[in-house]
Amino acid sequence: MSSARRLLAQITGSIAGAIAVASALAADVEAGRAKAQTCAACHGEGGNSANPAVPSLARQPALFTMYQLMMFRDGRRKDPQMSPVAANLTDRDLEDLGAYFAAQKVVAPAFTGDPAKAEAGSQAARGYHCLSCHGANLMGSDQIPRIASQHYQYLRTQLRLYKARTRSDLEGQMTSSAQALSDEDIENLAQFAAGFPPP
Amino acid sequence: MQRDARHNFMRLMLGACALFAMSAALVQAQTPPPPWTQGRSAEQESSPLKPLAPPPTATPGKEIPLAKAKLPPGFKIELWAEGIPNARSLALGAKGTVFVSTRLRTEVYAVVDRGGSREVKMITKGLNSPNGVAFKGGALYVAEISRVLRYDNIEDQLDNPPEPKVVIDTLPKDLPHGWKFLKVGPDGWIYFDVGAPCNICVPPATHAQIVRLQPESGTLETYAMGVRHSVGMDFHPVTKELWFTDNGRDWLGDNAPSDELNRAPRSGLHFGYPYCHQGDTLDPELGKNRRCGEFVKPVLKLGPHVAALGMRFYDGKMFPAEYHNNIFIALHGSWNRNEKSGYNLTRVSFGPNGEPKAEVFVGGILDGQNFWGRLVDVLVMRDGSLLVSDDWNGAIYRITYSK
């Protein structure tokens, strides 16, 4: 238990507070840390991936990590590496891993972007309503991922897959959003988000 | 001749280029925003409101603060079943099995009452948003986005369910508002909704309607039109008419439009979407040159953005006589509203002249802007108790009455 959490538990005396803390603690960061050892081989220490094709998981919203693992598990999202790893995860594993990665600090990967493309991507992000879900700081929330400082190559690949309607998509929002994107938009958006610093 | 030909060719090319440019511009102009942001004004672009996703896993029953629920005197609510992640629609089998669907997961569950405790069994998985469940003639019907499946003789095979038969697999594949609520009608047909594939748009002729499916032949018919997305319906115990809830459009402000309780006494009626909302409010864009008088008005306005989902007539004998043939409606709770609303189980009763009146029956779920559950569907059990599902906690509650 982090000291901040412990402090929170100490100062929230009300029943409501106790319940909120209890459910926050149902998912266990420390249990998640142990379970995440398998993940580190590809996703890096603390979920900060060094491989540009592999997404960084540090500080991804817990619900986002849980939903993606669930979709790998039930086959809606497919990947030669991830599918077998996720196949036998329990719901409790999803909760612990979600809590663990949400609590990790982002170490932004080295990325030398093209400022003109990033600026064009910034405009495109507004035009295509990206910030509505991903937030003005691109940090995501709930089921929506952090895309700030995500790997450029990974972002570009995912946008292409959404456009091709082959990327699993919980409620179809990204698939429908990506239909409008040109190759140039995808390049610019990936440049913009990859170069966007974490808070 | 040759020059003419070249000239014509050039004209053709220019025309083709212009056409191409035009069609490209059209594609650009017609590129819709994500469905849930459609119809948002410029001022709303920076709104922090977005649809809520529930946790994809279940809350342990002992952590659900059910003691906070408030009911009228004499009524009691208790945890009936837990560990059903994303629990959605409910259907009752002939032998007492309660079937529970999911929407964001892929499973369907069966709950068997063993007297003092309930056994939860997963009976199928890997389905595409299997939100609709209905029971008829010993079979469980399950609606995915674009298919309806049938599991024959299901209650005798809960531990080893049969492979499903495909009743129909040609429904639209759109995910937005594509999940279904199933209800068997008094005519033996199965009724469900094909929702609008958007927040607000002129829907394709195949969408924004309630249809009915003849399960033996697979015949599909339109029953009601102008329905944005109905995730709850029931047939009146006496008149046998179809009643249904409908979720109003988003982004017309915190106080408009209202979700609807509707009545469709016959087929072929139009309930207004996308032209007229809540029976009296023309859509600011699509309502131009239309009149609300063209469409059937709702029986009752249930409140803006409350997300009115499952509904059932109460035809049980446990509750007091004044509850007979009342309607219970699960208000899932708002997302498109700065101050949250809904998040309760609503009772609709009727006055001496049939005038409807809504009141909160189970409250205490929303506390300020915080909530601890979201109710989805209701089911009247044979003993007259009422089950209510909660997809936020993955649980089912039971409401009973005693003097």
Side-chain angles (χ1 to χ4, degrees):
Chain A
M1 197 202 247
S2 71
S3 56
R5 275 250 172 99
R6 197 173 297 130
L7 187 66
L8 187 66
Q10 282 165 1
I11 60 176
T12 45
S14 70
I15 293 170
I19 286 160
V21 171
S23 42
L25 292 181
D28 187 330
V29 174
E30 288 312 313
R33 186 188 308 278
K35 293 173 182 178
Q37 283 179 5
T38 319
C39 316
C42 295
H43 290 282
E45 276 307 309
N48 284 294
S49 155
N51 181 341
V54 175
S56 281
L57 306 180
R59 223 180 136 182
Q60 289 294 355
L63 271 192
F64 167 74
T65 302
M66 291 166 72
Y67 268 113
Q68 297 307 310
L69 288 171
M70 182 182 80
M71 290 197 287
F72 277 123
R73 181 178 67 184
D74 66 36
R76 274 182 278 182
R77 190 174 175 186
K78 291 185 174 67
D79 177 84
Q81 267 80 44
M82 277 307 297
S83 299
V85 173
N88 295 314
L89 294 178
T90 64
D91 278 7
R92 186 58 203 248
D93 295 336
L94 267 49
E95 291 170 355
D96 293 342
L97 289 166
Y100 168 72
F101 285 116
Q104 304 310 303
K105 197 170 166 3
V106 178
V107 182
F111 174 67
T112 314
D114 177 331
K117 287 180 176 176
E119 177 51 33
S122 169
Q123 299 300 324
R126 265 158 258 281
Y128 291 115
H129 311 274
C130 307
L131 310 185
S132 298
C133 287
H134 292 282
N137 58 5
L138 305 188
M139 289 302 284
S141 64
D142 303 325
Q143 77 277 27
I144 316 292
R146 161 179 78 82
I147 51 173
S149 292
Q150 185 56 278
H151 283 293
Y152 157 77
Q153 184 184 326
Y154 176 76
L155 290 170
R156 199 182 51 180
T157 305
Q158 299 309 303
L159 286 173
R160 286 175 178 169
L161 292 173
Y162 279 122
K163 185 171 182 184
R165 301 179 182 273
T166 55
R167 169 67 153 82
S168 63
D169 193 3
L170 198 58
E171 297 187 87
Q173 304 295 358
M174 273 307 296
T175 304
S176 59
S177 303
Q179 296 313 306
L181 303 180
S182 65
D183 287 350
E184 192 184 0
D185 289 331
I186 289 175
E187 167 69 21
N188 293 341
L189 287 167
Q191 287 264 353
F192 167 61
F196 201 96
Chain B
M1 181 80 184
Q2 205 177 18
R3 186 187 290 166
D4 271 5
R6 187 179 295 161
H7 185 68
N8 281 340
F9 177 72
M10 284 303 291
R11 270 175 47 180
L12 206 71
M13 283 305 288
L14 278 172
C17 285
L19 209 70
F20 181 75
M22 246 171 65
S23 62
L26 271 175
V27 166
Q28 195 75 14
Q30 288 174 346
T31 294
W36 67 272
T37 67
Q38 285 160 7
R40 219 165 39 163
S41 68
E43 303 86 71
Q44 290 167 328
E45 279 283 308
S46 57
S47 167
L49 299 175
K50 65 175 170 53
L52 302 169
T57 58
T59 309
K62 60 182 186 300
E63 291 177 18
I64 301 172
L66 202 50
K68 290 181 153 194
K70 291 190 180 72
L71 289 85
F75 290 95
K76 189 177 85 171
I77 189 167
E78 62 193 329
L79 182 68
W80 188 74
E82 61 180 297
I84 309 173
N86 196 225
R88 293 279 300 185
S89 311
L90 303 171
L92 183 60
K95 296 177 181 173
T97 311
V98 173
F99 296 98
V100 190
S101 76
T102 63
R103 176 170 85 81
L104 294 170
R105 295 188 49 134
T106 68
E107 300 91 359
V108 175
Y109 292 87
V111 185
V112 181
D113 198 340
R114 304 276 183 218
S117 64
R118 261 67 54 192
E119 188 183 349
V120 176
K121 301 165 185 275
M122 186 206 298
I123 54 171
T124 181
K125 63 176 179 176
L127 302 183
N128 186 10
S129 201
N131 189 73
V133 282
F135 187 89
K136 186 194 175 205
L140 174 69
Y141 290 83
V142 178
E144 302 181 270
I145 297 286
S146 63
R147 301 196 299 174
V148 176
L149 307 175
R150 189 182 81 228
Y151 297 80
D152 287 324
N153 196 22
I154 183 69
E155 286 186 287
D156 294 334
Q157 311 178 73
L158 291 176
D159 292 315
N160 188 21
E163 281 299 308
K165 309 243 181 359
V166 176
V167 181
I168 189 170
D169 61 1
T170 51
L171 301 169
K173 293 188 164 59
D174 306 85
L175 293 179
H177 300 151
W179 57 96
K180 317 267 183 282
F181 178 88
L182 289 188
K183 183 71 194 175
V184 179
D187 52 7
W189 292 53
I190 296 177
Y191 289 68
F192 57 92
D193 167 276
V194 178
C198 56
N199 170 35
I200 183 75
C201 62
V202 176
T206 44
H207 291 62
Q209 53 183 257
I210 291 175
V211 298
R212 63 175 178 179
L213 171 70
Q214 213 283 329
E216 288 77 25
S217 66
T219 304
L220 192 71
E221 284 182 4
T222 298
Y223 192 78
M225 295 170 290
V227 180
R228 181 173 173 273
H229 192 200
S230 174
V231 201
M233 53 187 92
D234 198 9
F235 291 85
H236 192 284
V238 178
T239 67
K240 308 296 179 193
E241 292 167 343
L242 173 67
W243 291 58
F244 62 94
T245 57
D246 192 13
N247 282 258
R249 65 158 290 187
D250 304 314
W251 301 117
L252 278 190
D254 276 6
N255 296 315
S258 181
D259 284 3
E260 301 170 356
L261 173 65
N262 290 302
R263 184 172 70 97
R266 60 182 185 277
S267 73
L269 300 176
H270 195 298
F271 289 83
Y273 180 87
Y275 312 108
C276 174
H277 309 296
Q278 65 173 35
D280 58 14
T281 304
L282 287 173
D283 190 81
E285 279 185 56
L286 301 179
K288 283 169 190 156
N289 304 318
R290 306 301 295 248
R291 291 176 302 107
C292 281
E294 296 173 57
F295 310 108
V296 181
K297 290 190 187 323
V299 171
L300 192 61
K301 298 179 193 176
L302 295 168
H305 310 295
V306 294
L309 302 187
M311 59 159 281
R312 292 292 192 287
F313 285 94
Y314 184 78
D315 55 359
K317 296 208 163 53
M318 180 189 283
F319 293 5
E322 60 266 30
Y323 284 83
H324 195 62
N325 292 344
N326 285 188
I327 307 174
F328 287 106
I329 306 176
L331 302 188
H332 199 221
S334 66
W335 69 265
N336 190 236
R337 193 168 198 273
N338 288 292
E339 192 176 325
K340 288 190 172 67
S341 62
Y343 298 92
N344 68 53
L345 185 64
T346 286
R347 170 195 177 193
V348 176
S349 56
F350 299 89
N353 299 314
E355 60 276 22
K357 178 185 148 208
E359 64 197 285
V360 175
F361 181 69
V362 179
I365 297 172
L366 182 65
D367 181 6
Q369 294 301 292
N370 300 314
F371 61 91
W372 55 261
R374 296 188 93 189
L375 306 180
V376 179
D377 198 16
V378 285
L379 183 66
V380 182
M381 297 294 277
R382 297 212 169 85
D383 67 356
S385 63
L386 194 67
L387 298 187
V388 190
S389 61
D390 172 356
D391 68 351
W392 193 264
N393 292 304
I396 298 172
Y397 314 124
R398 178 172 181 253
I399 299 167
T400 51
Y401 176 81
S402 60
K403 279 182 194 149

